[in-house]
Structure formats: C-alpha cells, structure tokens
Amino acid sequence: MALSCGRAAAGLPGMEAESPGEDYESLPSGASLSTHMTAGAVAGILEHTVMYPVDSVKTRMQSLHPDPKAQYKSVYEALKKIIHTEGFWRPLRGINVTMLGAGPAHAMYFACYEKMKRTLSDIIHHGRNSHLANGIAGSMATLLHDAVMNPAEVVKQRMQMYNSPYKTVLECIRTVHKTEGLGAFYRSYTTQLTMNVPFQAIHFITYEFMQEQINPHREYNPRSHIVSGAIAGAMAAAATTPLDVCKTLLNTQENMALSSVNISGHLSGMANAFRTVYQLGGIPGYFRGVQARVIYQMPSTAIAWSVYEFFKYFLTKHKLEKRASY
C-alpha cells in the first residue's frame, strides 16, 4: 500500500510516464472495487495461513494458567512438542475458519485503506505522501476488518488451546452460541480495536517510512516490500503485545486462570482483562508470547505486503500494455 508518487510505472521498460496517480504505486485509477478486494483477499489469506502454526503456539504461550503439559520455552520447542504429543496436524486446527474470515476481512480492509489514503492525502498534503493520512486510513480500515475477523478469532483461538473440547469449527460455533450467546463472538471487539488501531497506525507509518528510505523512487522492488513489511510488522507486534494478551484471555475465557482469581461466569471488558492479567502475571504477564507474536508477524506482514504490491504491479503493467497495443 505504498503511496502514489506521480512517477512512471516502475519496472516497465519502454512505457511512457503516466500522469500522477497512474503509476504502479497506486492501483490504476480505473480499477474496480473488486480488483482492490481481490488483491486484499489473496494477501490476507496468505498472511494468516502461511505462519498459522506459529500463531497456534502464540495463543498457547499467552495462556495465563497453562497446563503443565503445555508449558513451552520457545516457539521451536512448542511446535516440536505439540506435533509429537498431539499429532502432526494439531498446529493447524482452526485454520479453515481463519481462511473464511481473512478473505472478506482483508478485502474490505485493503479497499477501504486505498480509498481513505487517497482522500486524506488530497486533503492533508495535496495528494503527496502523508504519514498522518497513512495512519488514519489504516486505523479506519481496521474498524471494518475487525468487525468481520473478530468472530473468526474467537473460534480460532478456542480451537488452538491445549485440550480444546471442540473437535470441529461448527461444533465450537454452536457450543459458544448456545452457552454464551451471540455476544461471545464480539466480547473482545473493543480490546481488539484498541490493539489494532495503534498496531495498524505503527504498521503503516513504519512501512511507508521504510519505503522512503530503501525504495525512494517507489519502484516495484519485492525485496524492499518484504524488508519494510517485516520491520513494520515486528515493531507493531511488539508494541501491542499487552493488548493481544488481554484479547486472548477474553476470547478463550481460560477457565483455570479465571477460577484462580475467583472470577465466576465470563470475563468481559478491556479494563477487567487488564486487571486480571496483572493479578495472574504481573507486568511480565502482559508480554507473554511476545517472541512468538513477533516471529509470526514479521513474515506474515512481509507476505501480505509483497503479495499486495505484486498485484498492484501486475495490474498496472497489464493496463499499460493494453493501452500500448491500441
């Protein structure tokens, strides 16, 4: 989601320079909403699925009262132990609901970001690069993304937990709806927004800043997109880990942890989650699973950016070649 620089289409030798906004860095001005959404959906699905086993480890490492058989010192040890004791496919449990949620969530996310970015850049900086516009656009897009993704996150994390009672996604959805009501799927929504708004603001601003440093001409350069995406993802992930730990507690409603601090029923609300995490783990409790979160987020974000930037490059190249043939 790099910004339009008003340059010739990068990497397309022999093609004439386009007017500002027509280069690869912005999808073609005539591109339909479905084009933005398709590019975003593919990027989102790949982002969430390629590193899914590490995400499963992160969920378990964030457990505030883990079973003695599910205590891990590192991501590698955790994956090795899970596969050895629970089966080869266990780290992938819940991946199907993640794919179902990630497609539409990221389709709306990228489409909204591109639209908001252009609109705000025109207002704030007369169409030129604006870090403020990037941050606001990313935060606004998060509202749509999380509205779709939050129920999938609840189901996914309950499937990932050690000794999860759910055998299938449908069983999990039915049981949670029957025993906790529809609101259970959005119990962590405010916490997720509180986490993802600063996450995406840090993410987008860092990515655009890195692009200015290592790819100032905004050419199609996969290496620069991967490096920028990885650094942006790592910084945003580390900074927002405390909120992610609270989100995981709200999503999983970890029984052993809640009962150990005499909480009966269901935990709800970000303030209550923050208080409970502190009671159970003190300050270090807010950073449980930070290693796994960063290891997961770096390649995931790099994949998302490189795939999305490739779509932009490919679609613009196709458009310019079509014009040249006339």
Side-chain angles (χ1 to χ4, degrees):
M1 286 167 283
L3 291 174
S4 173
C5 302
R7 302 181 62 87
L12 306 182
M15 295 198 178
E16 296 298 320
E18 297 289 315
S19 61
E22 289 288 346
D23 59 87
Y24 121 81
E25 286 293 344
S26 290
L27 282 169
S29 57
S32 66
L33 180 64
S34 62
T35 299
H36 290 279
M37 297 182 79
T38 300
V42 173
I45 289 172
L46 287 174
E47 173 189 354
H48 282 277
T49 56
V50 171
M51 294 299 293
Y52 189 83
V54 179
D55 185 55
S56 294
V57 169
K58 183 212 71 167
T59 296
R60 292 194 181 194
M61 291 183 81
Q62 288 181 336
S63 173
L64 296 168
H65 202 294
D67 187 287
K69 295 179 182 178
Q71 295 181 352
Y72 316 108
K73 295 180 180 178
S74 69
V75 175
Y76 175 74
E77 181 209 351
L79 280 173
K80 185 177 177 181
K81 190 172 181 179
I82 291 170
I83 292 171
H84 179 70
T85 60
E86 301 175 55
F88 181 79
W89 299 108
R90 185 61 181 88
L92 295 176
R93 182 178 288 184
I95 193 172
N96 48 350
V97 72
T98 300
M99 292 176 69
L100 288 172
H106 280 74
M108 290 190 289
Y109 175 80
F110 278 93
C112 177
Y113 174 76
E114 290 285 357
K115 176 64 177 176
M116 290 293 298
K117 179 186 71 177
R118 288 197 187 96
T119 302
L120 292 171
S121 292
D122 287 341
I123 296 171
I124 297 171
H125 220 206
H126 305 294
R128 290 179 295 161
N129 189 7
S130 167
H131 293 309
L132 179 60
N134 300 335
I136 295 173
S139 299
M140 293 297 292
T142 299
L143 296 173
L144 286 177
H145 172 275
D146 288 359
V148 175
M149 201 64 193
N150 206 89
E153 282 282 320
V154 172
V155 176
K156 177 200 77 173
Q157 292 199 301
R158 294 199 182 204
M159 298 285 289
Q160 289 173 332
M161 292 296 285
Y162 179 74
N163 270 344
S164 172
Y166 313 109
K167 302 298 181 186
T168 66
V169 167
L170 284 176
E171 178 193 348
C172 182
I173 293 171
R174 289 194 190 106
T175 304
V176 172
H177 182 262
K178 183 179 179 179
T179 58
E180 301 177 43
L182 192 62
F185 296 105
Y186 283 95
R187 190 176 284 131
S188 66
Y189 184 56
T190 53
T191 302
Q192 182 137 325
L193 282 178
T194 306
M195 174 185 73
N196 280 343
V197 168
F199 177 96
Q200 297 302 349
I202 295 169
H203 171 199
F204 284 115
I205 291 171
T206 303
Y207 179 84
E208 298 290 356
F209 174 78
M210 289 300 301
Q211 282 292 287
E212 288 180 348
Q213 305 308 308
I214 63 178
N215 188 17
H217 299 302
R218 297 306 178 99
E219 298 172 340
Y220 175 62
N221 185 335
R223 184 180 298 175
S224 79
H225 301 315
I226 290 170
V227 171
S228 298
I231 292 173
M235 290 185 65
T240 56
T241 294
L243 289 160
D244 192 51
V245 171
C246 294
K247 182 206 75 173
T248 297
L249 179 61
L250 290 169
N251 279 345
T252 59
Q253 295 291 307
E254 198 181 342
N255 290 328
M256 291 290 289
L258 297 182
S259 61
S260 68
V261 289
N262 300 317
I263 294 178
S264 57
H266 304 300
L267 182 70
S268 61
M270 185 176 66
N272 290 330
F274 257 95
R275 191 160 41 247
T276 303
V277 171
Y278 184 78
Q279 284 180 276
L280 289 164
I283 298 297
Y286 293 114
F287 292 92
R288 293 184 71 91
V290 64
Q291 178 197 42
R293 179 164 162 79
V294 171
I295 290 174
Y296 164 77
Q297 202 65 54
M298 286 183 71
S300 295
T301 311
I303 289 167
W305 277 111
S306 57
V307 170
Y308 192 70
E309 297 286 7
F310 171 76
F311 263 83
K312 287 205 247 182
Y313 170 76
F314 176 79
L315 290 166
T316 305
K317 180 181 179 182
H318 177 72
K319 178 186 177 183
L320 294 176
E321 287 178 342
K322 191 173 180 180
R323 283 184 182 178
S325 66
Y326 291 134

